[in-house]
Amino acid sequence: MRVVKDAEIRRNEILDAAEELFGQKGFDGTSTKDILEKVGIARGTLYYHFQSKEAIMDALIDRYGDRILHAAREIAVDKSIPVNERIIGVVMALNVKGDSGEEIKEHMHKPQNALMHQKIQKVIINNVPGILAGIIREGIEQGLFDTPFPYECMEMVVAYMNTVFDDDMVEMTNEERVSRIRAFVFNLERLLGTESGSLMYIMQLFGGEDSNDNE
């Protein structure tokens, strides 16, 4: 007997199957036939929900982006967490664990998935600066930071993090990476008008030296 499912349920089944297949075979290596067979639906049903494989990828990126932004926003508005810890929490939320998050990230960094990678970068650059800027404004009210440009500062920070610290964009040795991180923190402190050395804890986010190892 033919099973008729709610449109949203069916749509998510297609996305779940596509996410798994893209993780296993890459975007280019996955055909619409592969998705059809995995979900167990007819081609017409697939095209009712998505006009193309590219449309499926767009929806998958939207869902992945929504996932990481939701986690980041929940941390950002939790006033029971100190400002400095919330900054760390928001950045860490961008690295989703479980729910195939690591799998998606791994395959986004493959050449055949360059478009997927680019779309996630766009989501992050367009949304995360605003989330962080809200925390920075609280820090300004508390006397921790002093800048007239909280959003613009965070936009610079996120753009830099999303390119220089992206393994696909810039090749560097471990020594060069540590030097970049130290320079990043040094300049971030000046952008935010805070005391020298006060943000060295951020080095831990990027696998740099211990936060107590100051110059």
Side-chain angles (χ1 to χ4, degrees):
M1 186 174 70
R2 181 168 169 266
V3 177
V4 179
K5 291 192 176 181
D6 177 84
E8 188 64 23
I9 294 174
R10 181 64 83 190
R11 187 175 189 275
N12 281 315
E13 285 181 348
I14 294 170
L15 290 176
D16 291 341
E19 181 176 345
E20 183 176 342
L21 288 167
F22 290 166
Q24 293 171 351
K25 306 170 69 172
F27 176 75
D28 291 333
T30 301
S31 67
T32 53
K33 182 180 178 183
D34 292 331
I35 299 171
L36 294 174
E37 290 178 350
K38 187 161 189 65
V39 183
I41 57 175
R43 189 170 297 274
T45 303
L46 176 67
Y47 289 138
Y48 173 80
H49 295 281
F50 300 101
Q51 294 183 347
S52 64
K53 190 175 69 168
E54 287 74 16
I56 296 175
M57 187 188 75
D58 287 342
L60 198 56
I61 290 299
D62 288 342
R63 189 169 74 167
Y64 182 71
D66 288 344
R67 189 184 301 164
I68 61 178
L69 293 178
H70 176 74
R73 288 185 178 115
E74 278 198 329
I75 294 167
V77 299
D78 188 347
K79 296 184 184 296
S80 69
I81 304 173
V83 164
N84 285 352
E85 291 182 23
R86 269 187 277 164
I87 293 172
I88 292 178
V90 167
V91 175
M92 295 302 290
L94 304 182
N95 300 306
V96 176
K97 305 295 183 183
D99 294 327
S100 300
E102 288 298 318
E103 187 174 82
I104 290 178
K105 283 173 56 182
E106 178 184 345
H107 287 273
M108 278 195 305
H109 284 78
K110 293 182 178 180
Q112 67 265 34
N113 290 334
L115 181 58
M116 184 180 285
H117 187 196
Q118 181 183 5
K119 289 189 175 189
I120 271 293
Q121 285 186 314
K122 185 175 180 179
V123 168
I124 291 173
I125 290 175
N126 278 284
N127 291 277
V128 175
I131 297 172
L132 287 170
I135 305 175
I136 299 304
R137 291 187 186 99
E138 285 188 48
I140 292 171
E141 292 173 2
Q142 295 174 22
L144 299 173
F145 307 128
D146 181 17
T147 175
F149 303 110
Y151 180 87
E152 290 80 2
C153 286
M154 292 300 97
E155 187 175 55
M156 293 177 195
V157 165
V158 172
Y160 186 87
M161 287 168 49
N162 213 36
T163 52
V164 175
F165 293 140
D166 187 312
D167 293 336
D168 276 358
M169 300 292 287
V170 179
E171 292 183 6
M172 63 183 88
T173 64
N174 287 336
E175 183 178 350
E176 289 170 337
R177 182 179 179 83
V178 169
S179 179
R180 296 282 210 295
I181 296 168
R182 293 183 71 85
F184 171 73
V185 175
F186 178 90
N187 286 293
L188 177 59
E189 289 171 347
R190 279 142 191 82
L191 280 172
L192 294 177
T194 190
E195 183 181 351
S196 179
S198 64
L199 299 181
M200 289 304 292
Y201 65 87
I202 291 177
M203 292 190 70
Q204 295 177 326
L205 295 177
F206 303 100
E209 297 171 349
D210 185 84
S211 59
N212 294 320
D213 182 18
N214 296 329
E215 289 183 301

